[in-house]
Amino acid sequence: MSTITIDDLTKRFGETTAIDGVSLSIDDGEILGIVGPSGCGKTTTLRTIGGFETPTSGRILFDDDDVTRVPPERRNVGLVFQSYALFDNMTVRENVQFGPKMQGVPRQERRDRADRLLSMLGIGDLSDRDPSTLSGGQQQRVGLARALAVEPRILLLDEPMTGLDAQLKRRLRDEIGSLLTELDVTALYVTHDQVEAMEMCDRIAVMNDGHVEQLGSPREVYESPATQFVSEFISLDYPEFAFVEETG
Ligand code: ATP
């Protein structure tokens, strides 16, 4: 995993400025959330880190490597989207092994990796199934295992829980949160759901209209909002949020 630095990043699409001078860093092993209303630039930020958009200006560093002009397939990022996009002509295990196979990882090692990840996600018994026979939550776990199997420098998650029911979302939130922490994954988590970000992320960037309004721990953002916008956006539907007191 790596430390990710975004330095003064701007992306314009014609007349639209999707992101406007965004700077932030994601520490090695950290889960950074990006929240904000529709159209504020969350997905564009994620896609630019993944290499699927070329910034109009600014730089992206993975550790000390400037990857701003490096194509996506050479950045080694793991991607999890709301649409699971699993390959239906392959079993679950084959789906998870696909990325490592493309990377030239030896057969036994990629099988071991796939089995380990699937069992960590509680779906080891589904390895030989066709993905189309799985539930939405199971497919999302396979998607996550597949993204992690390439041992990415950063895991990019874009609204991964969309389309799942509330109860399943809560369960996956806990499970995925602990798994990412256990594996010490550096991750960027894009969501419009404040609660999801609060519970899963080490720090949160609140975006509005292409720029970062505030970057801080969930507690800082919730208890000491830097702007009126942050205050309104964060407090919206999380009145019952209780922070666990830090000890030690
Ligand atoms: P949502 O929560 O709705 O997914 P978002 O915060 O992820 O929104 P982006 O998808 O990053 O927002 O979009 C930011 C702005 O850039 C929007 O105004 C959007 O219309 C515009 N935009 C994004 N991609 C393109 C594109 N390929 N061409 C033109 N405009 C784009």
Side-chain angles (χ1 to χ4, degrees):
M1 293 290 161
S2 303
T3 295
I4 309 298
T5 309
I6 299 177
D7 181 20
D8 201 13
L9 209 63
T10 293
K11 175 65 183 176
R12 291 192 197 93
F13 296 102
E15 299 287 290
T16 307
T17 302
I19 46 178
D20 192 6
V22 168
S23 295
L24 52 83
S25 68
I26 313 172
D27 294 334
D28 195 12
E30 181 180 45
I31 306 173
L32 182 84
I34 299 188
V35 297
S38 183
C40 71
K42 302 183 294 295
T43 295
T44 303
T45 305
L46 177 141
R47 287 176 55 80
T48 311
I49 294 175
F52 307 103
E53 303 289 356
T54 307
T56 309
S57 61
R59 289 190 316 154
I60 299 167
L61 305 179
F62 287 7
D63 293 323
D64 294 328
D65 306 334
D66 188 331
V67 299
T68 316
R69 309 278 152 191
V70 173
E73 64 276 13
R74 291 189 29 230
R75 291 195 190 193
N76 196 19
V77 298
L79 287 170
V80 185
F81 291 105
Q82 61 189 65
S83 55
Y84 322 107
L86 299 171
F87 306 120
D88 269 343
N89 54 343
M90 295 182 194
T91 64
V92 164
R93 185 190 285 109
E94 285 164 351
N95 262 276
V96 179
Q97 293 186 109
F98 182 77
K101 188 174 178 182
M102 292 296 110
Q103 289 175 325
V105 174
R107 178 187 294 266
Q108 190 58 45
E109 187 184 334
R110 52 182 201 253
R111 189 178 167 113
D112 290 347
R113 259 192 224 176
D115 288 349
R116 180 165 149 264
L117 284 165
L118 290 168
S119 100
M120 285 178 93
L121 283 158
I123 49 170
D125 54 335
L126 303 179
S127 301
D128 297 318
R129 292 265 291 270
D130 185 314
S132 63
T133 66
L134 305 184
S135 72
Q138 290 168 337
Q139 291 190 33
Q140 195 52 291
R141 287 182 171 89
V142 179
L144 182 62
R146 192 176 62 173
L148 287 168
V150 297
E151 300 189 337
R153 299 183 81 173
I154 180 167
L155 182 67
L156 302 172
L157 304 115
D158 194 356
E159 304 269 7
M161 313 279 191
T162 304
L164 304 178
D165 70 49
Q167 200 184 346
L168 180 60
K169 266 191 202 177
R170 266 197 302 279
R171 209 169 73 216
L172 275 182
R173 214 151 64 199
D174 291 348
E175 285 178 18
I176 294 177
S178 355
L179 178 72
L180 297 185
T181 308
E182 190 179 330
L183 293 175
D184 213 18
V185 171
T186 305
L188 182 73
Y189 195 102
V190 164
T191 176
H192 64 273
D193 183 333
Q194 303 92 317
V195 179
E196 211 167 281
M198 291 265 186
E199 296 198 342
M200 296 196 54
C201 301
D202 299 308
R203 287 188 304 155
I204 295 175
V206 184
M207 284 188 77
N208 179 26
D209 203 15
H211 65 271
V212 175
E213 293 256 339
Q214 186 170 5
L215 177 60
S217 68
R219 185 174 202 144
E220 282 162 359
V221 168
Y222 186 70
E223 291 185 351
S224 315
T227 63
Q228 181 73 22
F229 173 84
V230 174
S231 167
E232 285 168 12
F233 186 78
I234 290 294
S235 65
L236 210 57
D237 43 6
Y238 211 19
E240 81 286 12
F241 193 64
F243 289 92
V244 177
E245 287 298 330
E246 285 163 28
T247 52

